[in-house]
Amino acid sequence: MSIPIFHSSGAALPKALTEKCPAVIAGFEKVYKSKPDFVSRSPGRVNLIGEHIDYADFSVLPMAIDVDMLIAVKVLDDKKNPSITLANADERFAQRKFDLPLDGSFVTIDASISDWSNYFKCGLHVAHEFLKEIEPTKFGKAPLAGLEVYCQGNVPTGSGLSSSAAFICATALAIVRSNMPTSYKMTKQDLMRITVVAEHYVGVNNGGMDQAASVCGQDDHALYVEFKPELKATAFKFPALKSTAVEFVIANTLKVSNKVETAPTNYNLRVVEVTVAAEVLAAKYGVSLKKSGTLGKGNLRDFMNAYYAKYHNVPKPWDGDVTTGIERLNKMLELVQETFGSHKSGYTVDEASAALNTSKEEFTKDYLTTFPVRFQVLKLYQRAKHVYSESLRVLDALKIMTSGQKFASDEEFFKLFGGLMNQSQESCDKLYECSCEETDKICEIALANGSYGSRLTGAGWGGCTVHLVPTENVESVKKALIEQFYKKQYPTITDTELKEAILVSKPTIGSCLYELA
Ligand code: NG1
Ligand code: MG
């Protein structure tokens, strides 16, 4: 399927465009004194369940939401000296300008400095690689087209709603659109495939959930995103209920977690911990893993497949089938207990290297240098248990959503799905240690005032929370959060800030283009 393209003179525009395009076009005109050629847009997302398992290649359940990044672009005819100028509606992000190498080489990204233009450059980089792949003669040695760019977004940054993915996906789409004939139709599959790794260029060893959700979002649908055997996003609706509807309230803790800055002790460290756990399991059960990610030799999903190939003679990797998945993940939880249960205090570098029969130097080279990390011990038991149990919960949630199961009452649905969300929060907090006081407080208040399931969403350590709420309880949840959390925690909070802190968002369409006449 290709990325939708809308025209100013064409058929009805989606709400996301009618509401926001006029402002981004006006912003562009003010800065550059001319009209843009097109607008590229990509949304943020909320993850309903399946946290910190995408980088172990286990499936997740996010949905795209109606906060997004819009990028208005004019393609310049400046082949002799092409450059890109970036302006942003948000005054925290000052104007930037850089040249495009004349020999067609990539623009360099300095990941050691934190600058908003780095995210643009990530999208530029992966799009440039893609262009070289599909049109090697055209883009091998020639420069990309110069651009004037104006960005306007309302995905809160550092909040777990994927402002970074929204920006990068919108950028990559804009670069491809600017350098290919206007008749070219980029597929969702291609945009998703090239953007999933883009943030590695700013130093975050992330999985692919956010980009898949941002690219493939659909009105009124949540997404089941699979990474293996192939990257795929399937849209599905929530079950029809008798007398109410499903709403997701998204409440921001307003505690910003800068992913890049905290990566060595938080995000990237977790990726190391779960990868090392997979290899310790592989060593213990005598199976070998093939390299599949950025670190080491394999992940917890690879271990599960290798274990079943060896001990149950199932050579084909698990293909996502729910019943088999549930059975295998339960088995994995037993193995985690067997392997790490007596070593819950965690592994030092010496202990981890010994468990893998490798030297400290090799271990450091394999796991601790590509993306720098800082730690005392690696908590293999807790992290592996989280990943397998969270993956199980995703399959349970999918079963509830898609089985066509008739619920005895609406409340039964809320209790089942909400229960899984609450268990996910418990596991993120206790085993993965990615929650925080503010998140815990918000979840407690929401649950006491009409939410059936409350949890952090995205990487955590602050950022946003998501709550499963029947329509009739939305107001009581909001009111309780305002009175008992926001006004207490942030006494000087303004009404505008409050409005932005709590969103009730419907699932929306993913990446799209708007062509001006
Ligand atoms: P957020 O916090 O939205 O950036 C991050 C990762 C995801 C996923 C979640 C945790 C990036 C770009 N994204 O999301 O891939 O691992 O954390 O489930 O780092
Ligand atoms: Mg992000």
Side-chain angles (χ1 to χ4, degrees), residues 35 49 51 120 132 159 242 254 260 280 289 318 327 351 370 379 410 459 479 507:
K35 266 200 173 340
I49 195 158
E51 222 58 83
F120 185 92
K132 282 177 185 277
S159 70
K242 294 191 186 76
L254 300 178
V260 174
V280 173
L289 303 179
W318 173 59
E327 180 193 309
E351 288 168 323
T370 324
K379 296 197 178 171
D410 289 352
K479 189 161 170 271

Side-chain angles (χ1 to χ4, degrees), residues 47-49 51 247-251 414-429 435 438-457 464-470 477 481:
N47 188 21
L48 304 179
I49 195 158
E51 222 58 83
E247 305 262 9
F248 289 97
V249 174
I250 302 163
F414 281 100
K415 282 193 168 155
L416 283 170
F417 198 82
L420 292 169
M421 290 174 69
N422 292 332
Q423 286 169 28
S424 167
Q425 171 60 23
E426 173 83 11
S427 183
C428 284
D429 181 22
S435 189
E438 291 84 348
T439 297
D440 297 346
K441 189 83 208 146
I442 286 186
C443 291
E444 193 190 309
I445 297 169
L447 288 170
N449 288 277
S451 162
Y452 281 83
S454 291
R455 55 182 296 277
L456 64 86
T457 187
C464 281
T465 57
V466 60
H467 310 270
L468 173 71
V469 183
V477 168
L481 289 177

Side-chain angles (χ1 to χ4, degrees), residues 273-336:
E273 291 177 304
V274 295
T275 314
V276 172
E279 284 187 46
V280 173
L281 285 162
K284 165 142 193 219
Y285 295 99
V287 300
S288 56
L289 303 179
K290 281 195 222 84
K291 186 165 174 67
S292 69
T294 47
L295 296 176
K297 297 200 199 71
N299 58 37
L300 287 167
R301 181 186 165 117
D302 297 326
F303 168 71
M304 184 169 97
N305 285 330
Y307 179 87
Y308 270 85
K310 176 165 175 171
Y311 293 98
H312 296 269
N313 197 20
V314 235
K316 220 172 116 285
W318 173 59
D319 65 1
D321 158 61
V322 173
T323 314
T324 319
I326 290 177
E327 180 193 309
R328 292 189 188 178
L329 287 163
N330 274 311
K331 179 73 195 168
M332 292 302 111
L333 286 168
E334 280 173 28
L335 303 188
V336 165

Side-chain angles (χ1 to χ4, degrees), residues 162-165 199 210 259:
S162 294
S163 59
S164 50
E199 271 181 64
D210 308 348
K259 177 89 57 40

Side-chain angles (χ1 to χ4, degrees), residues 9-21:
S9 54
L13 294 176
K15 219 174 104 215
L17 294 177
T18 41
E19 280 178 0
K20 294 172 196 156
C21 273

